[in-house]
């Protein structure tokens, strides 16, 4: 089960689900040590304007390399961290790393772009969220409007009133708000009127099927229209093919991210991409900026 046995250059993910209890308990213990030692790093996935290929933002994605098991995917260790009461500590550290990196790119003179950071339910509902975000932005020297917080639609919304209040307080700080995995969760449109949102992110499960399933295409078209009517931006997640990208752009979706454009990458690889973009600005007419 050692990830290194996958051979050089190969990334194999370690899936704790389905592992013996012993292993999962060890993983929970190791997670505490990882938090203590700040063993997490961030990768960044570029987000582009679909018409020009220009980078409009990056999404920060957590990475944890376990000393023995190798890369454990966030979808596996984040629920474990929530269970262990570690997610707020991890989240604060993530936000600080992401904001510091965003400020660093700006200070280096690159054209500024948004930094999107995912918020877990535990963080969203934590009492000190708003002050913590404010303090992190101040320490990093990042203007609030460059930070976007992504709230997944899978987040439990047991109390609409407090969710609205938290979002309004975040907006007052000046950060922007996106609904992640849109179309998979709350499945009620009424909250959209009350939430101060800036962006809907169409879930990957729809993007995957837009060119081959009528229902996914219909839902996606509706979401794009909805975002226009609500005057919020619309971003497609998980774009993997040129056909998907062309379809989304033709339907009026303005922004996107996905493996076709770029995988999530370490900060220095993003810096190289920014250098490339500076040397050869993206051409209008849908010419894509592909790394490497
Ligand atoms: P998400 O926020 O919806 O992030 C997008 C996920 O889709 C990422 O997986 C990304 O690597 C992957 N992805 C991007 N483009 C493509 C594509 O074209 N095809 C496919 N198949 N996948 C693509 P990742 O990094 O494994 O993260 C999974 C989830 O874990 C995230 O989903 C997010 O919900 C959560 N997560 C990641 N980092 C953080 C974090 O710092 N804090 C919190 N609270 N959650 C995080
Ligand atoms: Mg996200
Ligand atoms: Mg998502
Ligand atoms: Mg998703």
């Amino acid at each position: 089960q050692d990830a290194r046995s996958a051979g050089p250059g190969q990334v194999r993910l370690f899936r704790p689900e389905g592992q013996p209890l012993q292993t999962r308990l060890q993983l929970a213990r190791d997670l505490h040590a990882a938090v203590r030692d700040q063993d997490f790093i961030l990768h960044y996935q570029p987000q582009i304007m679909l018409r020009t290929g220009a980078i409009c933002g990056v999404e920060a994605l957590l990475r944890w390399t376990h000393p023995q098991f190798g890369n454990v995917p966030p979808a596996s260790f984040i629920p474990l961290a929530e269970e262990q009461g570690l997610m707020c500590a991890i989240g604060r550290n993530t936000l600080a790393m992401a904001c510091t990196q965003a400020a660093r790119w700006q200070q280096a003179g690159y054209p500024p772009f948004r930094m999107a950071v995912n918020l877990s339910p535990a963080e969203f509902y934590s009492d000190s969220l708003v002050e913590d975000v404010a303090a992190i932005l101040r320490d990093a020297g990042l203007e609030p409007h460059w930070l976007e917080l992504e709230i997944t639609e899978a987040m439990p919304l047991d109390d609409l009133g407090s969710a609205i209040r938290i979002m309004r307080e975040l907006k007052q700080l000046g950060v922007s708000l996106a609904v992640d995995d849109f179309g998979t969760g709350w499945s009620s449109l009424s909250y959209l009127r009350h939430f101060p949102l800036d962006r809907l992110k169409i879930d990957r499960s729809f993007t995957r099927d837009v060119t081959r399933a009528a229902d996914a295409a219909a839902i996606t078209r509706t979401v794009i229209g909805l975002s226009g009517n609500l005057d919020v931006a619309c971003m497609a997640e998980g774009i993997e093919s040129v056909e998907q990208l062309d379809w989304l752009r033709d339907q009026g979706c303005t922004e996107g991210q996905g493996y076709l454009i770029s995988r999530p990458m370490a900060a220095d690889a993003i810096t190289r991409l920014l250098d490339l973009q500076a040397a050869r600005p993206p051409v209008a007419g849908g010419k894509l900026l592909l790394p490497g």
Side-chain angles (χ1 to χ4, degrees):
Q1 276 306 353
D2 195 318
R4 278 163 302 190
S5 63
Q10 289 218 294
V11 187
R12 198 166 80 197
L13 293 181
F14 177 79
R15 309 250 167 224
E17 308 85 20
Q19 297 289 330
L21 180 63
Q22 196 74 1
T23 309
R24 280 182 285 137
L25 289 175
Q26 187 195 336
L27 214 60
R29 269 198 312 277
D30 295 343
L31 207 49
H32 284 268
V35 171
R36 188 193 58 214
D37 303 340
Q38 308 208 336
D39 268 350
F40 303 94
I41 64 158
L42 286 175
H43 278 186
Y44 301 91
Q45 185 174 39
Q47 304 175 322
I48 63 166
M49 302 302 298
L50 293 183
R51 285 197 179 281
T52 63
I55 294 175
C56 57
V58 295
E59 177 174 5
L61 294 159
L62 260 181
R63 296 293 178 260
W64 180 34
T65 305
H66 185 280
Q68 182 187 350
F69 303 132
N71 294 318
V72 186
S76 300
F77 73 77
I78 287 174
L80 196 61
E82 292 247 344
E83 218 176 273
Q84 297 287 316
L86 293 170
M87 206 45 219
C88 280
I90 295 176
R92 296 301 184 267
N93 187 239
T94 301
L95 260 174
M97 284 196 287
C99 292
T100 304
Q101 183 58 62
R104 204 175 285 149
W105 276 319
Q106 289 193 14
Q107 281 151 15
Y110 296 108
F113 49 84
R114 264 188 328 272
M115 173 62 71
V117 180
N118 294 283
L119 275 192
S120 66
E123 296 174 76
F124 183 77
Y125 288 112
S126 111
D127 289 331
S128 61
L129 172 70
V130 180
E131 355 165 359
D132 289 351
V133 172
I136 287 167
L137 285 165
R138 212 166 35 238
D139 291 349
L142 184 70
E143 292 172 282
H145 65 272
W146 294 115
L147 175 64
E148 178 156 277
L149 298 174
E150 296 192 0
I151 300 158
T152 172
E153 219 197 11
M155 183 175 79
L157 257 194
D158 14 68
D159 179 3
L160 197 66
S162 41
I164 293 171
R165 182 183 47 78
I166 296 164
M167 288 186 202
R168 288 202 178 134
E169 285 175 16
L170 288 170
K171 285 298 298 175
Q172 258 158 26
L173 262 188
V175 305
S176 70
L177 296 178
V179 178
D180 205 351
D181 313 316
F182 189 76
T184 63
W186 303 327
S187 61
S188 152
L189 295 180
S190 60
Y191 68 83
L192 282 178
R193 290 199 305 133
H194 302 293
F195 288 176
L197 300 171
D198 298 283
R199 178 167 283 97
L200 302 180
K201 293 188 73 177
I202 299 172
D203 188 62
R204 195 171 78 218
S205 58
F206 299 109
T207 303
R208 193 185 52 218
D209 291 338
V210 280
T211 56
R212 59 178 194 209
D215 54 356
I219 291 168
T220 304
R221 241 185 249 113
T222 305
V223 174
I224 295 168
L226 182 67
S227 69
N229 292 331
L230 290 169
D231 202 23
V232 302
C234 186
M235 178 173 298
E237 300 190 283
I239 302 175
E240 293 187 354
S241 74
V242 175
E243 292 72 30
Q244 291 164 352
L245 185 135
D246 287 343
W247 189 95
L248 287 157
R249 195 212 290 111
D250 293 346
Q251 296 299 323
C253 180
T254 50
E255 304 167 342
Q257 65 185 98
Y259 292 169
L260 174 72
I261 297 145
S262 169
R263 298 220 166 217
M265 300 185 293
D268 55 348
I270 296 287
T271 304
R272 285 195 291 278
L273 194 64
L274 295 171
D275 286 333
L276 206 75
Q277 179 168 267
R280 199 192 51 185
V283 191
K287 195 144 196 277
L288 275 186
L289 181 96
L290 291 163

